[in-house]
Amino acid sequence: MKNEKKDAGNLTVSVIIPVYKPDDKFPKLLRMLEKQTCSFERLIIMNTEKQYWKKEWEELVSKMEVHHIRREEFDHGGTRAQAANMCTSDILVYFTQDAVPADEYVIENLIKAFENPKTGAAYGRQLPAKDCQIAERYTREFNYPKTGRVKSKEDLPVLGIKTFFCSNVCAAYRRDLYEKLGGFITHTIFNEDMIYAGNLVMAGYSVAYQADARVIHSHNYGNMQQFRRNFDLAVSQADHPEVFAGIRSESEGIRLVKNTALYLWKIHKPWLIPGMIVKSGFKFMGYRTGKRYQCLPRKVVLWCTMNPSYWTDEK
């Protein structure tokens, strides 16, 4: 029997998904959106390059509207902000194209966070896919534990940069506050979610981690992919010292390495520890290199980044 749709109390909801060359996870995501218990006003798809869009996807979920853009127009922050500007809903819910809701309650559980008037953003729990590697499974558990929490400025001394952590893989934002604070930065290499969450926290609001809003989402990145991802992460932080300057960050990565090694030992797979340490070294090198990207020749930067199109416009 099909679930009866619930409204969100007095809140209205729009769902936004940027899309580019999606794989088979995308139609699964759409089918799960159609099953959600919480109703939404609109589903806005920001699709990059029209030739990669399949018309039959539009039959999988109601209230869908598709906006096509060219690849050179896409920006991690700008494209999401463009979609937000189309909305009048109280709550903006974002997914990535490969984040498949684990059940029909994801949106309902996400927006429960906004019962607290000081909460400006909420993000969900990311579960590993079936093909997820063992060390990455532990990383999912480390970053997305079973217990939720609300984070505010008072948590900075203990949590450091994790106070600002928020992921647009599955996240929701209070639109009036989003507009008040200027929304997502419209030109960023990525990490638009944490940049906004940092501004949100420093303005005196909170970010909620909703552990019961669960999506299946993981990647098996290789060493160089991790290097380039962390390079771009560090670039985003270096470009926004107003958010990240003076915030403790690298100690969290060290703690993850130690905990992962201990976990692999406990499950009697110590032979995986050297590879995990090597991959962690690539992450660290990428991060440290990205922090100093302004000192690097342009050719080196283009080799290091996952997002070469970001560098086509002079900043």
Side-chain angles (χ1 to χ4, degrees), residues 37-314:
T37 55
C38 180
S39 62
F40 47 87
E41 290 186 323
R42 303 167 72 186
L43 169 60
I44 299 176
I45 303 294
M46 301 298 290
N47 177 65
T48 301
E49 299 297 349
K50 189 173 183 178
Q51 66 266 33
Y52 302 126
W53 180 257
K54 295 181 180 179
K55 195 72 175 176
E56 57 263 32
W57 290 333
E58 297 175 32
E59 301 174 4
L60 298 178
V61 61
S62 58
K63 304 175 184 177
M64 181 192 294
E65 56 189 80
V66 185
H67 301 267
H68 299 289
I69 61 174
R70 300 190 309 275
R71 186 171 183 179
E72 57 268 25
E73 295 176 301
F74 175 81
D75 180 90
H76 282 276
T79 300
R80 288 176 169 88
Q82 182 182 351
N85 291 338
M86 302 175 190
C87 297
T88 57
S89 301
D90 300 310
I91 304 296
L92 306 173
V93 174
Y94 287 87
F95 292 95
T96 54
Q97 66 188 36
D98 57 350
V100 181
D103 55 41
E104 63 268 37
Y105 304 105
V106 174
I107 297 177
E108 180 181 343
N109 288 332
L110 262 185
I111 65 175
K112 284 179 182 177
F114 301 106
E115 293 172 2
N116 180 347
K118 295 295 288 182
T119 298
Y123 66 100
R125 184 181 181 196
Q126 297 182 33
L127 303 175
K130 290 181 180 179
D131 65 347
C132 186
Q133 296 170 353
I134 293 174
E136 179 60 23
R137 283 181 177 273
Y138 181 80
T139 300
R140 295 285 110 181
E141 189 69 29
F142 183 88
N143 289 327
Y144 304 96
K146 295 178 181 179
T147 304
R149 69 173 298 165
V150 178
K151 301 175 294 183
S152 65
K153 192 186 297 186
E154 288 71 30
D155 294 301
L156 280 169
V158 175
L159 296 180
I161 201 167
K162 287 200 81 171
T163 309
F164 298 160
F165 186 75
C166 183
S167 175
N168 274 340
V169 166
C170 171
Y173 301 89
R174 195 186 298 274
R175 188 181 59 83
D176 58 352
L177 187 56
Y178 169 92
E179 293 179 350
K180 176 183 176 182
L181 296 179
F184 296 131
I185 186 166
T186 55
H187 183 59
T188 183
I189 193 164
F190 92 135
N191 210 29
E192 76 293 332
D193 35 25
M194 278 189 67
I195 294 169
Y196 175 75
N199 288 323
L200 185 76
V201 168
M202 298 310 291
Y205 297 94
S206 59
V207 175
Y209 167 52
Q210 297 293 94
D212 54 356
R214 303 175 304 142
V215 294
I216 299 168
H217 179 265
S218 59
H219 294 286
N220 292 321
Y221 287 136
N223 290 336
M224 282 308 302
Q225 287 174 306
Q226 292 287 11
F227 176 95
R228 292 187 168 107
R229 179 175 175 81
N230 278 38
F231 176 87
D232 288 355
L233 173 66
V235 168
S236 74
Q237 294 182 10
D239 281 348
H240 295 280
E242 75 282 1
V243 177
F244 298 106
I247 304 297
R248 177 174 56 84
S249 60
E250 292 177 16
S251 59
E252 190 66 14
I254 295 171
R255 189 166 75 91
L256 173 58
V257 174
K258 290 180 178 178
N259 287 8
T260 306
L262 182 61
Y263 169 74
L264 293 173
W265 184 269
K266 283 183 176 179
I267 64 170
H268 309 295
K269 295 186 182 293
W271 60 87
L272 296 177
I273 294 175
M276 181 274 297
I277 292 174
V278 169
K279 186 169 288 187
S280 298
F282 274 84
K283 290 180 183 179
F284 179 75
M285 289 188 295
Y287 184 82
R288 297 294 289 179
T289 305
K291 280 284 191 178
R292 295 163 175 78
Y293 83 91
Q294 292 172 331
C295 303
L296 301 175
R298 186 176 180 85
K299 287 184 179 180
V300 174
V301 169
L302 291 173
W303 182 83
C304 290
T305 186
M306 281 186 84
N307 295 285
S309 60
Y310 171 75
W311 306 92
T312 57
D313 296 328
E314 293 296 328

Side-chain angles (χ1 to χ4, degrees), residues 15-32:
V15 177
I16 298 167
I17 309 176
V19 173
Y20 176 62
K21 289 185 178 181
D23 60 19
D24 59 359
K25 298 183 184 74
F26 181 59
K28 292 177 183 177
L29 163 59
L30 294 179
R31 291 186 183 98
M32 288 304 298

